[in-house]
Amino acid sequence: MSEIHSTDYLVIGGGIAGVSCTEMLYTLDPQASITLVTATSIVKSVSSVNQITKLITDFQVEEKSAEEWEESHRGVSVYRGKLTRLDPGEKLAYLDDEKKIKYKKICLCGGAQPKLVTQNPYVIGIRDTASVLQLQERLSSARRVIVLGNGGIATELVYELDNVELIWAVKDDAISSVFLDPGASQFLLKEVEKEKDDPGEPSKRVKYTVDSRESSEKTVPGSALGPDWHKFLSKKGNHSKKKVSVKYQVQLETILSKEEYMTSKESANDENFPIYVKFTDGSVEGADFVISATGVVPSGEQYRDLVDLSTTGAIIVNDNMETSCKDVYAAGDICHAGWNWSTHWMQMRLWTQARQMGMFAAKCMYYHTIQEPIELDFCFEMFAHVTTFFGQKVILLGLFKGQNLDNKYELLVRVTPGKEYIKVVLKDGRMQGAVLIGDTDLEETFENLILNQMDLSGYGEDLLNPDIDIEDYFD
């Protein structure tokens, strides 16, 4: 009979949500026994947190070996393995190496997996460190790459990759539509083919260590990438220069092999690529490989018989991060926020929310252990996210695209080409959301205006007048 390990708190998942949950439990209840289970040999932790405003947080992601992380968190046990079965009645978790862990409370932070457009050896998804290394290896000999998708990963890839011809296929009428409106997209598109400065030193925002074991773990998906995941990537292809072509309002229709393409009526004899993509507009493009960056699928399906799931396969949690099963919590990409959302908040599967959910789940687990109530954290009061697209700082606040406003809103926009793009969303004279690109220094002011819902009707277009110091005005 295999040995049973007992623990007060059990966290499943070595990504940002799982590690943030574990570290918060370690802070709140240092005398408790805490166990972290990670499917791979590395874990991701957050460091150098910079609180820009009450709700906007910038941070570094450090990717460490599980052994190194465990050494710096004495008292936390780290197990390498994959959860294969959960018995909530007996409070037992079974790992793939037949190890059993008995817990008092458990948090599931298994993340999500890339939603590949098709299974093909020339189609890769970008989700974890191993997939980024695969991209790097293929890119070194590539002349042309097709990028499918219109979210953050696709946007960063098109900007970062060099010495390669890129065909960026998006289903919308503008790039980066997950985050940006067409005006902001056009502002950023001008940056795509600009020469980028050689960064010289590696990015200080992220540390990655990859051991040889990780590259052989093809069957075990790693945890999601964090900010600046591309900084350690060798980004040069095998073309004399970079060229970007954007195909708007198209989707993949079918994949053709080289042989299928050469015998088809679409064939052009001067092309020689291992894979061809036929798009819904009838065009066919060849490439050395295809990057599928079309979103993720939450990894909740394996728990279908135990907890309630959303239609997308995410584990539904309440406002205390509890699932429908007693003493089973969930956080990060694997979960669906099942509570009534605040007016200006929405769930998006981003590393910032993974961290927030992981930390709040830990607080809930601890407070429930000491039988104290806990209210929903303030970070869920308003959506706030900071990232970088095309080398420009991008801050998204509240209903930044007019979400849930039924098109009953007005926009104010200020653009300084090559420097800044500012957009605010107003309804009934009150700010509902904002997009800030560049160093605008308006994030704190706009955050407060969204939170306090001050009537701005009397200011009109002067709200974005560059000759008025709005920061001081609303201080």
Side-chain angles (χ1 to χ4, degrees):
M1 179 179 288
S2 60
E3 180 183 354
I4 297 179
H5 170 76
S6 294
T7 188
D8 294 323
Y9 303 109
L10 174 60
V11 180
I12 305 295
I16 294 174
V19 176
S20 296
C21 180
T22 305
E23 291 180 336
M24 180 57 73
L25 285 168
Y26 184 69
T27 300
L28 293 171
D29 202 354
Q31 303 305 314
S33 57
I34 305 169
T35 302
L36 173 66
V37 173
T38 173
T40 65
S41 60
I42 55 178
V43 299
K44 289 183 170 67
S45 63
V46 169
S47 65
S48 301
V49 176
N50 176 24
Q51 200 72 38
I52 300 173
T53 68
K54 290 191 293 287
L55 292 172
I56 304 173
T57 305
D58 197 13
F59 55 81
Q60 297 179 13
V61 171
E62 292 186 342
E63 188 165 288
K64 299 179 178 180
S65 70
E67 293 82 2
E68 181 186 359
W69 185 89
E70 185 177 17
E71 183 66 25
S72 62
H73 294 80
R74 294 185 177 275
V76 178
S77 300
V78 180
Y79 285 96
R80 174 89 172 273
K82 184 179 179 182
L83 180 68
T84 57
R85 185 162 72 90
L86 187 63
D87 183 346
E90 296 295 325
K91 293 194 172 182
L92 278 174
Y94 296 79
L95 305 187
D96 54 359
D97 60 357
E98 298 186 357
K99 185 180 296 293
K100 300 176 187 177
I101 303 177
K102 190 170 182 63
Y103 63 87
K104 293 180 180 178
K105 296 189 184 299
I106 184 173
C107 189
L108 305 174
C109 304
Q113 300 308 318
K115 187 165 55 178
L116 289 180
V117 292
T118 185
Q119 294 293 330
N120 185 291
Y122 292 100
V123 177
I124 65 172
I126 303 299
R127 176 63 180 171
D128 53 17
T129 305
S131 63
V132 171
L133 294 176
Q134 183 186 12
L135 166 64
Q136 180 176 272
E137 181 179 344
R138 294 195 181 205
L139 184 63
S140 62
S141 59
R143 294 164 293 151
R144 183 191 293 171
V145 176
I146 295 174
V147 179
L148 304 176
N150 208 10
I153 295 290
T155 301
E156 290 174 323
L157 277 170
V158 170
Y159 176 71
E160 291 292 338
L161 300 187
D162 279 322
N163 290 34
V164 67
E165 182 181 351
L166 293 167
I167 298 174
W168 188 6
V170 302
K171 65 180 181 179
D172 310 291
D173 60 358
I175 62 167
S176 314
S177 64
V178 174
F179 300 101
L180 306 176
D181 58 81
S185 298
Q186 285 301 311
F187 175 84
L188 287 177
L189 193 56
K190 296 174 183 177
E191 305 291 321
V192 172
E193 293 186 9
K194 280 186 179 180
E195 290 289 327
K196 294 189 288 295
D197 294 332
D198 187 344
E201 295 295 322
S203 168
K204 294 182 180 179
R205 285 192 44 157
V206 59
K207 279 194 239 172
Y208 283 100
T209 56
V210 182
D211 65 27
S212 59
R213 291 173 296 172
E214 212 59 49
S215 60
S216 65
E217 292 171 351
K218 301 295 184 186
T219 60
V220 182
S223 52
L225 299 163
D228 289 342
W229 58 271
H230 47 75
K231 294 297 185 183
F232 79 114
L233 169 68
S234 176
K235 295 165 278 195
K236 292 188 181 296
N238 194 31
H239 199 278
S240 58
K241 63 178 182 178
K242 179 175 183 174
K243 179 183 177 183
V244 179
S245 303
V246 184
K247 296 176 72 70
Y248 295 102
Q249 295 180 302
V250 298
Q251 296 186 61
L252 179 147
E253 183 174 300
T254 188
I255 293 285
L256 300 172
S257 67
K258 178 180 177 181
E259 293 74 20
E260 290 171 328
Y261 173 73
M262 296 303 290
T263 58
S264 71
K265 61 182 180 181
E266 291 95 351
S267 173
N269 294 326
D270 60 340
E271 288 196 338
N272 184 22
F273 291 103
I275 187 171
Y276 292 82
V277 175
K278 183 174 183 179
F279 294 101
T280 49
D281 65 352
S283 63
V284 178
E285 301 285 357
D288 292 291
F289 64 95
V290 175
I291 300 174
S292 177
T294 51
V296 296
V297 179
S299 303
E301 196 61 40
Q302 74 177 101
Y303 306 107
R304 178 168 291 279
D305 295 335
L306 300 177
V307 297
D308 293 340
L309 300 184
S310 71
T311 55
T312 60
I315 298 173
I316 299 173
V317 296
N318 64 15
D319 60 1
N320 274 196
M321 308 306 293
E322 297 170 297
T323 70
S324 56
C325 189
K326 183 175 174 55
D327 293 325
V328 178
Y329 301 72
D333 288 358
I334 197 173
C335 80
H336 168 74
W339 62 84
N340 292 325
W341 297 352
S342 170
T343 301
H344 299 103
W345 187 84
M346 73 202 82
Q347 183 178 8
M348 297 184 75
R349 288 182 166 82
L350 304 166
W351 55 84
T352 48
Q353 289 194 356
R355 174 177 176 263
Q356 291 168 344
M357 286 183 167
M359 293 171 66
F360 183 57
K363 293 176 183 177
C364 293
M365 294 166 77
Y366 171 68
Y367 272 81
H368 294 165
T369 296
I370 62 174
Q371 299 182 333
E372 291 286 344
I374 181 171
E375 294 184 355
L376 189 64
D377 196 274
F378 183 69
C379 69
F380 301 108
E381 187 65 24
M382 188 188 88
F383 178 86
H385 182 60
V386 58
T387 187
T388 302
F389 288 154
F390 300 163
Q392 296 267 16
K393 182 171 75 172
V394 177
I395 290 178
L396 308 172
L397 296 173
L399 308 179
F400 58 91
K401 288 187 68 178
Q403 299 95 327
N404 306 320
L405 296 179
D406 300 323
N407 291 321
K408 297 176 181 177
Y409 59 87
E410 60 179 312
L411 302 177
L412 288 181
V413 179
R414 184 175 97 199
V415 182
T416 306
K419 183 179 179 183
E420 64 178 15
Y421 177 94
I422 302 169
K423 181 191 79 173
V424 298
V425 180
L426 298 165
K427 183 177 181 181
D428 299 328
R430 291 169 169 81
M431 193 178 296
Q432 306 299 319
V435 175
L436 306 174
I437 303 178
D439 294 316
T440 67
D441 293 325
L442 292 172
E443 49 267 29
E444 185 171 14
T445 300
F446 284 3
E447 178 185 283
N448 289 330
L449 289 174
I450 295 171
L451 288 170
N452 64 33
Q453 285 298 283
M454 177 180 175
D455 188 353
L456 304 170
S457 303
Y459 300 96
E461 295 185 1
D462 279 342
L463 192 62
L464 294 187
N465 188 334
D467 296 324
I468 297 176
D469 193 338
I470 190 174
E471 293 176 87
D472 292 338
Y473 199 87
F474 291 107
D475 189 9

